[in-house]
Amino acid sequence: SYTSERNLEAANLKASMAGASVALRSLPLSSCVKNVSYLRRHANLSFPGQRRYATALSSKYDPSSYIKKPILPSYTPAAELLVNVPETKVTVLSNGLRVATEKSAVNRDTATVGVFVDAGSRYETDETNGVAHFLEHMAFKGTKRRSQYELEVEIENIGGHLNAYTSREQTVYYAKVFKQDVPKAVDILSDILQNSKFEESSIERERDVIMREMEEVDAHVQEFIFDQLHSVAFQGSSLGRTILGAAENVAKISRKDCLDFIATHYTAPRIVIAAAGAVEHDDIVSLASKHLESIPNTSPLGKTPAIEPATFVGSEVRHRNDDIPTITFALAYPTCGWTDADAYPLMVLQAVFGAWEKNTWASKYSSPGLAQMLAKDNLANKYWAFNTSYADTGLFGIYCETVPDEEVVQDCMYSVTHELVRLCFRATEEEVQRAKNVVKTNLLIQLENGTSETCEDIGRQLLTYGRRIPLVESFARIDAVDVSTIQRVAEKYFYDTDHAMASYGSVNSQNLPDYNWIRRRSYWLRY
């Protein structure tokens, strides 16, 4: 009921989002906070912790009916919860480097400062694969102003935490410190970024460290499967390469490789300085100007960084290990990038599938339909849905662990594929509303976990979206997702579509269905 004139613009905003045509880069903040009436009416934050189901106490129940009539409590927060969030301030320095901060109204003693670089393993070549991750290791091995020992002691003396990580599209260096030590943290991060020495002796030591890290990753089933999944899904393109790099590359990475990668990719427009917690925006801008304004805005080598287009290939890879008493697989479909209008519907769709583990207290009473199907006949040990996004593509799928029994594995795979196709036609309002509640709750929990999570969210969003998406806009986009949206998105990405799969464990031609068996069950014959 949008009869009042004051709600007209809000209705238009929600209607435009419901049309699934508003890209994430395109909506200004001003259009999201124009009237509080809209927020009071449409925040719709529900907490699922008090769910009660009449069928849950029955020993015999129909999984499909179980998800049709849940009693979803509804709690709508005051509009101030969404409007009175701290403002994210952004300043662009003269060289194009962006500085973004968010002052916490709660955390007044600590702060997290991070350097986010738009460069990861996707920007490497076959010959240089592994350099971005190698740089992360070398960052803490000494600079022109500080030795490795001095760097470690300086951080320890202020009680700080200094770390870094590399992904396929980004490299991040961050420090968590007390508020009075924020200037020192910015100084250390800028020193690492611009003055690392890359001594030959340190490079040789890090080769062995990374080789051991590769062994640890290969021994971790989940990490191994997702690396293998990317290698087959995007074979022949940069997203198919591992973040750590090939062993033969790690063995020959040189100081020149590191310096060339920095000169090409660590330019000011590709860097964001993000800070959250007990910080003042003007202070961080001043510190960034002092320490980082000398970073060039173009590559000194004259190179223009560009990502190689991702090409999805329907394929599979199986790694047999009969010493493992389980079969673990990841089944995935190609989706869209960060800024696509389908990004939020896919987040809700991930929550529709949810996650489940056999040994949890609520194992047989989990809400997702797939969880009910797997729990009823003891078809799996655990599963969860994943939704991985990149600049221009993504992967959506199911990660599942089951037992190496032919009938059990086939029934498990049938349940997964059946649920993927069912949502193309038979999604219910109840499960979509539950999923929207879950996504909203997770967004709030993530931002309440501390300054590190907020800092990471700021840096990541500025690199991917070009702006920080306000919480009110995220909630509006989530509310705009309905049953028809879920069915449209599921049909677009899952129905009669090639898939990629990686599996590990006691797999053989008898107990794990082949590619064509799974492909055939990506559609229904309906007359």
Side-chain angles (χ1 to χ4, degrees):
S1 58
Y2 297 102
T3 55
S4 63
E5 183 178 349
R6 60 189 295 186
N7 282 333
L8 183 59
E9 288 190 18
N12 292 335
L13 168 63
K14 190 174 182 183
S16 66
M17 290 179 174
S21 61
V22 183
L24 297 185
R25 289 182 183 270
S26 63
L27 203 60
L29 171 62
S30 58
S31 65
C32 301
V33 294
K34 282 187 176 177
N35 74 67
V36 175
S37 169
Y38 164 69
L39 301 180
R40 293 189 183 278
R41 190 178 298 272
H42 298 290
N44 291 333
L45 176 63
S46 301
F47 292 96
Q50 301 296 319
R51 286 195 298 262
R52 293 293 183 270
Y53 298 90
T55 55
L57 300 179
S58 172
S59 59
K60 295 181 179 180
Y61 54 87
D62 177 12
S64 61
S65 66
Y66 182 81
I67 63 172
K68 285 181 179 178
K69 297 180 179 180
I71 304 171
L72 288 175
S74 179
Y75 167 66
T76 301
E80 287 76 10
L81 175 64
L82 299 181
V83 174
N84 292 337
V85 294
E87 178 188 2
T88 301
K89 299 180 179 180
V90 181
T91 298
V92 181
L93 302 185
S94 60
N95 59 352
L97 187 145
R98 287 165 288 178
V99 181
T101 66
E102 182 178 297
K103 183 179 180 180
S104 174
V106 178
N107 194 323
R108 301 179 179 179
D109 298 314
T110 62
T112 300
V113 182
V115 179
F116 295 77
V117 186
D118 193 11
S121 62
R122 190 176 182 184
Y123 291 87
E124 301 165 343
T125 64
D126 286 331
E127 293 74 24
T128 61
N129 182 214
V131 173
H133 178 257
F134 208 102
L135 282 174
E136 171 205 323
H137 278 253
M138 294 302 299
F140 308 117
K141 298 302 179 285
T143 70
K144 297 174 183 177
R145 293 171 48 200
R146 297 174 173 90
S147 66
Q148 180 178 350
Y149 173 78
E150 291 171 337
L151 185 62
E152 293 174 356
V153 169
E154 192 168 357
I155 285 293
E156 289 179 0
N157 285 345
I158 63 175
H161 175 75
L162 183 65
N163 210 337
Y165 65 86
T166 308
S167 68
R168 283 181 164 80
E169 291 187 334
Q170 298 173 6
T171 303
V172 180
Y173 309 88
Y174 67 94
K176 186 167 185 176
V177 296
F178 287 111
K179 63 179 181 181
Q180 64 267 23
D181 297 316
V182 167
K184 186 178 290 293
V186 175
D187 180 32
I188 291 174
L189 289 171
S190 65
D191 193 23
I192 288 172
L193 197 67
Q194 300 174 92
N195 302 314
S196 291
K197 294 171 68 175
F198 303 111
E199 295 177 332
E200 293 293 344
S201 57
S202 298
I203 291 175
E204 292 302 321
R205 285 197 302 271
E206 284 309 300
R207 295 193 205 278
D208 294 333
V209 174
I210 295 175
M211 289 293 189
R212 289 197 298 272
E213 185 178 350
M214 293 172 66
E215 293 175 359
E216 293 174 1
V217 169
D218 287 344
H220 191 280
V221 175
Q222 179 182 335
E223 296 278 354
F224 177 75
I225 282 184
F226 277 105
D227 274 347
Q228 293 299 309
L229 180 65
H230 280 77
S231 71
V232 295
F234 301 110
Q235 54 187 284
S237 60
S238 56
L239 273 180
R241 305 184 191 109
T242 64
I243 296 173
L244 273 63
E248 55 269 24
N249 283 9
V250 174
K252 64 181 182 181
I253 288 175
S254 65
R255 183 174 188 272
K256 182 179 183 300
D257 293 328
C258 296
L259 294 175
D260 285 351
F261 191 86
I262 290 176
T264 303
H265 299 90
Y266 282 43
T267 54
R270 303 174 62 84
I271 297 175
V272 171
I273 304 299
V279 295
E280 295 292 341
H281 182 72
D282 291 342
D283 293 342
I284 301 298
V285 171
S286 176
L287 290 168
S289 299
K290 176 182 177 181
H291 296 290
L292 298 165
E293 206 159 24
S294 59
I295 296 178
N297 57 10
T298 58
S299 170
L301 303 179
K303 298 180 180 179
T304 302
I307 56 175
E308 181 182 337
T311 303
F312 182 86
V313 180
S315 53
E316 66 173 21
V317 59
R318 303 177 181 218
H319 291 270
R320 183 169 179 174
N321 185 349
D322 290 336
D323 293 332
I324 304 297
T326 59
I327 291 177
T328 306
F329 65 85
L331 176 69
Y333 295 84
T335 58
C336 60
W338 285 103
T339 60
D340 194 276
D342 288 338
Y344 272 86
L346 283 168
M347 290 170 59
V348 176
L349 192 55
Q350 179 187 7
V352 169
F353 283 101
W356 170 83
E357 189 166 352
K358 186 177 182 178
N359 296 325
T360 57
W361 66 272
S363 173
K364 293 184 178 181
Y365 309 109
S366 298
S367 299
L370 180 57
Q372 290 297 303
M373 297 173 71
L374 298 179
K376 180 182 178 182
D377 295 318
N378 196 24
L379 300 179
N381 298 329
K382 60 184 176 182
Y383 87 87
W384 63 80
F386 58 88
N387 177 33
T388 305
S389 296
Y390 298 105
D392 57 345
T393 187
L395 286 177
F396 186 106
I398 303 295
Y399 177 95
C400 184
E401 178 188 292
T402 184
V403 295
D405 179 271
E406 181 178 355
E407 292 186 3
V408 172
V409 175
Q410 287 203 4
D411 287 348
C412 175
M413 187 66 75
Y414 175 82
S415 299
V416 171
T417 55
H418 181 275
E419 190 69 2
L420 285 164
V421 179
R422 178 189 72 82
L423 289 171
C424 300
F425 305 104
R426 301 177 184 170
T428 66
E429 292 185 8
E430 291 78 13
E431 63 184 334
V432 173
Q433 182 59 50
R434 174 191 60 79
K436 289 158 65 174
N437 292 341
V438 170
V439 175
K440 292 177 186 178
T441 305
N442 288 342
L443 282 176
L444 290 176
I445 291 175
Q446 176 186 350
L447 298 179
E448 290 176 355
N449 279 341
T451 60
S452 296
E453 288 75 11
T454 302
C455 178
E456 181 180 6
D457 192 57
I458 295 170
R460 176 182 57 80
Q461 289 198 24
L462 260 72
L463 288 181
T464 54
Y465 303 133
R467 65 189 181 98
R468 179 84 187 283
I469 298 180
L471 195 59
V472 59
E473 181 184 337
S474 293
F475 273 47
R477 289 182 180 274
I478 294 168
D479 281 332
V481 177
D482 56 17
V483 171
S484 63
T485 306
I486 291 296
Q487 292 179 167
R488 176 188 62 79
V489 171
E491 183 176 6
K492 178 179 179 180
Y493 295 111
F494 308 150
Y495 193 77
D496 197 10
T497 303
D498 289 336
H499 65 272
M501 186 178 74
S503 59
Y504 178 78
S506 301
V507 294
N508 56 56
S509 58
Q510 285 76 41
N511 60 19
L512 185 64
D514 62 22
Y515 188 92
N516 289 330
W517 189 98
I518 300 171
R519 180 65 175 83
R520 163 61 187 84
R521 284 153 183 81
S522 67
Y523 59 90
W524 290 349
L525 296 177
R526 312 178 81 193
Y527 300 99

